[in-house]
Amino acid sequence: MIMADVTMSNVEQSYGETNDAQKNVFDLGAFVGDLTIEEDVSSDDISLEGLQQELEECKNDDVVANILSKGAKLREYTKGVENNLRQVEFDSIQDYIQESNNLVSLHDQIRECDSILSQMETLLGGFQAEIGSISSDIKTLQEKSMDMGLKLKNRKVAESKLAKFVEDIIVPPRMVDIIVDGEVNDEFMRTLEILSKKLKFVEVDPMVKASKALKDVQPELEKLRQKAVSKVFDFIVQKLYALRKPKTNIQILQQSVLLKYKYVVSFLKEHGNEVYTEVRGAYIDTMNKVLSAHFRAYILALEKLQLDIATSSDLIGVEARSTGLFLRGREPLKNRSAIFALGERIKILKEIDEPALIPHIAEASSSKYPHEVLFRSLHKLLMDTATSEYHFCDDFFVEESMFYEIFAGPFAVIDEHFNSILSNCYDAIGLMLMIRITHQHQLIMSRRRIPCLDLYLDKVNISLWPRFKMVFDMHLNSLRNANVRTLWEDDVHPHYVMRRYAEFTASLIRLNVEYGDGQLELNLERLRMAVDDLLIKLAKIFPKTKLQIVFLINNYDMIISVLKEASPDVGKIQMHFEELLKSNTALFVEELLLEHFSDLIKFVKTRASEDPSSGSEKAIAVGEVELLAKDFGSRWKAAIELMHKDVITSFSNLLCGMEILRAALTQLLLYYTRLTDCIKRIVGGSSLNKDLVSISSIIRFSLSLARARKEAHTRACKANRYNSGLDSYVFG
């Protein structure tokens, strides 16, 4: 078989070499078409069907292609192949013969290897038997080891549980010494924690309760518990007595002393609930009395610093000259407009978180403060004290609800003081300031995340609003029920009642800027309507229409000026008074011009619009307008000077007066322009040109008067706020 393989290999190699030599010049497609097969005698049974297909399939075979390329016949080629195979077979046999000695030597070596391997097999068999015996011994040892390990594990578990049991239930002598004879310090606190664990251990575990060891230890543990509870109670009571000492800083004592021993309270709560209840009650009672006394003393000190701003008679519509037997001797109300003005009092809202007043320092400097300053100071102290106490109750007793029991007394003291003050407070500005202060205090407590004063501050707010509404209604009714005859003064300048109203309204608007309180805005609107009615009634008492208008303009202008200072935004109330000022200014301008140029105005309004060329019977004649032109030309300067003097003396606000004068001169120019236009349309009207005054001349004269007034006013006032832009207020 080996020889056959070698022979076939040699044949394929020889054919392969021949094929490689002729591979590049052979074209199977071209050659197959010319292929001819000689018929053999015995080829009758051979079918050539499918030959073409087989040739196509074999055209890629190198050997077939090589045969076909040589054009050899199949039989000859087959014979050549057989000859080659015989030659290869013969050569292979010769090779085997030459290597026969080597093969014999190889065979001997193989037999020697078999012998050695047989000996090794016997040796390994012995080893296997010995290993089997050893494996059995190891298995036995392993079972014993596992059994011993399990026993050891169980004993360790039992030992650890027993050791823990012994440790938890045993009462060391050192513990007894510390609890019985030791002082309450850090070591005592640590010992209390250990005792607490032992007490919990014997109470919770049912197996411990059934143990005989507990019968020996439990009496000792109970004695230690009772001793510890008693000692802790005495210690806390002693510290509580320290809180009652005068001039004790409660917050420092709480933070630096009591909080260090807060575990003793936890111990009492867990192992001496009855004693804990006594301690809790004692602390509540102590702090209630101490804080109540502190706040009562502070309130008494603040009352000495109180400054009364207003009484029940200090109302907007009350006559300034009112006097009575029981009225306090003070300045006349007319000279105390600060009652209605906010002024510097608004600074309290920017000092909302400043420290509380120290009464003896303020008293030493003879300082007096309005209600809102004392209110803020008292509640600042309340907030700080409440915050500290709330945190202490939460940290020391772990009971936030204790706060409300402790502060029941202080709240009662403050409420009593607050109600007495509130019932006698007629200062509407101060009440509104206290409302805003309360709101700010609520925000402060919210930022601190301390809810303990929420109900109290809500109650304060609820108390302040009705009182403010009552005082506000008193002001409103004073305007509605005012005696116009007693209030009236023969003076067209702003009335003191209107100034009170303006300052009062401006103050409340300023305090409402950041809050947008709709109820307050509604009340201010009611107050504004009452002022409108009163002002009209006061104006009607003046005998002349012109004086009535001047009086109204002066008061409207004053109110607008005060409101502008309160808020940069134009509110509904300010817009209302600006409309009234505008309409009354137009009325005054007409009255002023009629006083000096009545004929001119009457003609312009009735005849100037007629067409002179219409040919009607009542056509405008030159003589009719000649008198008007000459009259105006002869006295226009004097009339304007009189108008200027009249305006300056009638209006207290120079800026307002200049604005009115500008409007009057503008309206005069419009009337005169209509007159000149009418003259130009009249036949023969050109003859009157010499009597007409140019518009530029009137403007220059008016400007010169305005500048002269400006210079005089500057010299008189030295630095008047109305100096700038006067020229622009004359004619723009």
Side-chain angles (χ1 to χ4, degrees), residues 165-181:
F165 174 80
V166 172
E167 182 182 355
D168 290 340
I169 202 171
I170 195 173
V171 180
R174 178 63 178 167
M175 175 187 291
V176 176
D177 294 339
I178 293 174
I179 292 178
V180 174
D181 301 324

Side-chain angles (χ1 to χ4, degrees), residues 204-228:
V204 174
D205 196 333
M207 294 182 63
V208 176
K209 292 182 179 180
S211 65
K212 294 181 179 181
L214 180 60
K215 297 179 181 179
D216 296 334
V217 176
Q218 192 169 18
E220 300 301 324
L221 286 175
E222 180 62 20
K223 291 178 183 179
L224 282 179
R225 184 193 70 81
Q226 294 177 358
K227 181 63 178 177

